[in-house]
Amino acid sequence: MTTPSLRQKGLEKTILENLNTAILLFDNDLHLIQHRAYACEALGNLAQENPGAITAEAIELVTLSMLQQNHLGQSLDRDCGLAVQKIGEPAVPYLLDMFKGEREDVQELLSTYNDPMRPTPPNSATVAAASALARLRSPQAVVPFLEFLEATHEAPAWLQDQRAVDWRLW
């Protein structure tokens, strides 16, 4: 039995990354959400084995997938959040854009979750990104965090006249 060459190992990782990136493009309500969770896990493991080997497209999809859920309420926040931690520093710019509300793909995704029975808080992406950036202990996040904390934020209309406990995300 021969040992695979470095070129073969690199090709194998490229194929795995492309496959997992493609899986992250699946519709959560038409395909098992577990497939996406496994894809995030595999991409995180690849990033841990070979830092810097994960493409920008894959990082963008993994960070977006932290917010995804299906019609049953199952989400990918834990699995893809762990993958983001494994990816590490290369994920920071994508998370900062998510935190600042500057990613159109995130806004588009959140607009699909307009179920009146289970409304998605409009700042759920900000909370998820802040949490991921804090776990990464990113120095680049300090200034945006401070600016956010120093700014005045108005409660959204759907939160007005609610009990204080419902304000936990603001």
Side-chain angles (χ1 to χ4, degrees), residues 81-95:
L82 180 57
V84 167
Q85 281 184 266
K86 289 179 177 181
I87 291 168
E89 193 64 29
V92 170
Y94 299 93
L95 293 169

Side-chain angles (χ1 to χ4, degrees), residues 72-143:
L72 300 173
Q74 298 169 316
S75 71
L76 295 167
D77 57 349
R78 187 186 66 210
D79 301 290
C80 295
L82 180 57
V84 167
Q85 281 184 266
K86 289 179 177 181
I87 291 168
E89 193 64 29
V92 170
Y94 299 93
L95 293 169
L96 283 171
D97 287 346
M98 185 187 296
F99 176 77
K100 295 174 186 175
E102 296 174 354
R103 284 187 51 185
E104 289 181 29
D105 58 339
V106 170
Q107 301 309 319
E108 184 179 325
L109 174 68
L110 293 180
S111 71
T112 65
Y113 298 144
N114 287 332
D115 182 356
M117 299 304 290
R118 279 187 355 207
T120 300
N123 67 335
S124 58
T126 303
V127 172
S131 188
L133 287 163
R135 284 192 306 271
L136 289 172
R137 298 183 177 175
S138 172
Q140 297 159 310
V142 173
V143 172

